[in-house]
Amino acid sequence: MSNNLTAFLAIACYLCSGLIITLRLFSGESSSRFPRAAGLIAAFFGIAVHTLLLYQGIHNEGDINLSFFVAGSLIAWGILVVLMISSLSKPVENLGIVLLPLAILAIVLEMHYPSSRTLPTDVPGGLIAHILISLLAYSILALASVQAILLAIQDHHLRHRHPGGFIRALPPLQTMETLLFEMIAIGFALLTLALPTGFIFLDDMFAQHLVHKTILSVISWVVFGTLLWGRFRFGWRGQIAIIWTLAGFVVLMLAYFGTKAVIELVLP
């Protein structure tokens, strides 16, 4: 199967899933013509096809291609995998209205701007483990940031007494907040594992142009750790939790994509 056809099928599945989730969200889940399972099934089909597309893009003549846009597509895939697996037991699939379009954008950019930045296949297993742990941590914290945005919208509507169909379709505010901190706790734990494993395989931080990535990753870790401590010690919630979550994720996003963009796109 050609890359273009694989990309088209993945995009079509994601569009279908996003449309179903959106219709259910804005029309009210109880009155929607589409069952909840339909959106999840379409998303899982999209993930399966996206997996094939990533396999075709990452395996590059015996090496591992992790160029900027391929890595972006890989992270979008990881976010959706975490989201859809979580949706099997928790009401979080509505985050797909934001994340599915981002995954489609990542696929389009990967196909439109083909590039190659390879790692040899004989890299240490520990480095591969670091990359996978980092990817999972980033994916879960990205979900937490989208959850924080929805929580902010929900809180705003409830404060101004405008609980429309969109708000009624969301879980209760307390449930949304509980899910947010569960995501942050899991993402923080994985980030805690990712940082020391990264230091182990870091030969020369300055020569590898990774000093900014390392510093920003540590800052993000501190932000999320402080938020969890504030939640445990002072019961932080609401606007404080939303602001700290978004701040931590922005720093983490700059740590990875900002550094990678400078290295690959600005300083090729």
Side-chain angles (χ1 to χ4, degrees):
M1 186 182 295
S2 69
N3 281 16
N4 289 336
L5 179 58
T6 306
F8 175 80
L9 289 175
I11 290 172
C13 290
Y14 286 159
L15 280 174
C16 182
S17 176
L19 181 61
I20 293 172
I21 292 172
T22 301
L23 289 174
R24 284 177 53 80
L25 187 60
F26 285 94
S27 65
E29 295 183 356
S30 59
S31 61
S32 176
R33 298 179 181 179
F34 298 97
R36 177 175 181 266
L40 299 183
I41 291 172
F44 275 114
F45 270 114
I47 289 171
V49 181
H50 195 173
T51 303
L52 177 59
L53 178 66
L54 285 170
Y55 178 83
Q56 293 170 341
I58 290 175
H59 285 268
N60 183 21
E61 298 180 355
D63 292 327
I64 300 173
N65 179 19
L66 286 178
S67 60
F68 182 80
F69 293 111
V70 172
S73 180
L74 178 61
I75 288 176
W77 173 87
I79 291 171
L80 288 182
V81 168
V82 173
L83 173 64
M84 290 304 147
I85 291 176
S86 300
S87 297
L88 297 176
S89 58
K90 297 177 181 178
V92 294
E93 72 276 2
N94 289 336
L95 299 181
I97 63 173
V98 176
L99 297 173
L100 286 165
L102 291 178
I104 292 172
L105 177 61
I107 292 173
V108 170
L109 291 174
E110 179 189 359
M111 300 308 297
H112 191 67
Y113 297 103
S115 58
S116 178
R117 187 176 180 85
T118 60
L119 294 174
T121 54
D122 59 349
V123 294
L127 181 58
I128 298 297
H130 164 72
I131 293 173
L132 292 176
I133 293 172
S134 299
L135 171 64
L136 193 55
Y138 192 97
S139 301
I140 293 175
L141 292 173
L143 285 177
S145 69
V146 177
Q147 177 80 353
I149 292 171
L150 285 179
L151 185 61
I153 295 172
Q154 185 180 27
D155 182 66
H156 174 78
H157 278 261
L158 292 177
R159 286 179 184 273
H160 291 80
R161 304 191 179 187
H162 296 300
F166 170 75
I167 298 303
R168 287 199 303 270
L170 294 175
L173 192 66
Q174 185 174 359
T175 302
M176 292 280 286
E177 199 169 75
T178 300
L179 289 173
L180 172 65
F181 277 98
E182 287 179 357
M183 292 176 186
I184 293 173
I186 296 172
F188 177 77
L190 290 169
L191 189 59
T192 302
L193 290 175
L195 286 174
T197 55
F199 281 115
I200 293 173
F201 295 99
L202 195 62
D203 297 325
D204 189 333
M205 186 185 302
F206 293 95
Q208 294 174 277
H209 305 287
L210 295 177
V211 60
H212 295 92
K213 178 180 179 180
T214 304
I215 293 174
L216 289 172
S217 296
V218 171
I219 292 173
S220 177
W221 179 84
V222 171
V223 170
F224 284 115
T226 302
L227 173 57
L228 290 174
W229 177 79
R231 171 74 167 182
F232 174 77
R233 183 69 176 81
F234 302 109
W236 286 0
R237 58 193 302 269
Q239 292 297 319
I240 295 178
I242 292 168
I243 292 171
W244 278 77
T245 301
L246 295 178
F249 180 71
V250 168
V251 175
L252 186 62
M253 184 171 62
L254 288 174
Y256 185 78
F257 280 109
T259 302
K260 200 168 183 63
V262 170
I263 294 174
E264 296 187 25
L265 305 180
V266 179
L267 300 172

